[in-house]
Amino acid sequence: DKMNYCQVGRYIYFTNGSTMGYVRDSVAYTIPIPMVQFHLSIPAGHMLEYLNSILYVAKDNLLIHSDAAHPNRYDGRKNITPFNGKITLLKKVVNGLYVGDSKGVYFLQGPHPEKFVKKVVTNYPAIIYTASNIPSISIGDTVLNNPIMWASIRGICVGGEDGSFFN
C-alpha cells in the first residue's frame, strides 16, 4: 500500500499497511505500547483520518478508532467496526466520516463512534485512494462547503458535510 498521512495537532501520523508511526519536530517515532488494561497500540493500516480527537485507521475491512485524545491506543474489545470488504474511502467532514468498502459508500454521522448513525450513500464502491477534501463546489443551485470528492465506477462523486450526495 502507499503511504498515508494525517495531521493530529502538531504531530503527523503515517501508515502504509505495515508501518505505523508519527513525526514530531522532524523526528519519526513508532507507536508505543500502551500501559492501560485491554488497550493495544493503534495498528498499521492503509488509510488514516482524524476527527473530534479520535484517530481512525482503515486496516483491510476494519475501521479501528483510537481512544479520544489518545491517538496511539485503542480498546481492543470495542474500538473496531467491520465493513464488507477492504476499505476504499476514509474521509472526514464536519458532521462525520465517509467510509467506502467493496459494496458501497456509507456516511457515519455523528460526533464520535458511540453516536454514529450509519447511512448508505451508494451501493457501488469508491475507487481506492481517490478521495479528497475540497473547499467548496456548486452543483446546480446547491453550494456545498467543505465536501469531499472521490472517483467511483460510476463517475465523480461528491459528499456533503451532512451526508448529502451527488453523482
Side-chain angles (χ1 to χ4, degrees):
D1 282 316
K2 69 180 221 165
M3 191 62 77
N4 200 264
Y5 303 91
C6 181
Q7 185 164 354
V8 177
R10 61 185 190 144
Y11 303 95
I12 303 294
Y13 278 75
F14 60 87
T15 191
N16 67 356
S18 60
T19 301
M20 178 73 179
Y22 62 93
V23 175
R24 182 183 71 210
D25 300 326
S26 301
V27 178
Y29 298 89
T30 58
I31 302 297
I33 297 171
M35 299 304 202
V36 179
Q37 189 174 18
F38 304 117
H39 285 73
L40 304 168
S41 298
I42 201 84
H46 62 279
M47 291 182 175
L48 297 172
E49 191 56 273
Y50 185 70
L51 176 67
N52 296 332
S53 299
I54 297 173
L55 182 65
Y56 295 85
V57 178
K59 181 175 178 65
D60 299 320
N61 70 317
L62 302 176
L63 183 61
I64 300 165
H65 68 274
S66 73
D67 289 346
H70 296 282
N72 293 337
R73 70 178 195 220
Y74 75 104
D75 187 332
R77 299 168 302 167
K78 61 181 183 174
N79 293 24
I80 302 170
T81 304
F83 280 82
N84 295 314
K86 184 172 183 172
I87 293 173
T88 59
L89 182 154
L90 178 60
K91 281 291 179 192
K92 70 178 176 182
V93 290
V94 171
N95 294 317
L97 287 173
Y98 283 91
V99 180
D101 64 17
S102 61
K103 303 284 186 195
V105 175
Y106 315 91
F107 184 60
L108 306 181
Q109 186 170 10
H112 55 82
E114 291 77 24
K115 300 279 187 184
F116 279 159
V117 174
K118 184 178 179 181
K119 296 171 24 178
V120 175
V121 176
T122 72
N123 60 2
Y124 49 90
I127 297 171
I128 195 166
Y129 302 124
T130 62
S132 183
N133 294 89
I134 58 176
S136 67
I137 190 169
S138 296
I139 301 173
D141 293 335
T142 304
V143 176
L144 297 173
N145 292 313
N146 305 308
I148 67 163
M149 182 180 284
W150 69 91
S152 77
I153 60 171
R154 295 193 184 166
I156 299 298
C157 300
V158 177
E161 294 179 320
D162 58 354
S164 57
F165 171 74
F166 297 88
N167 178 232

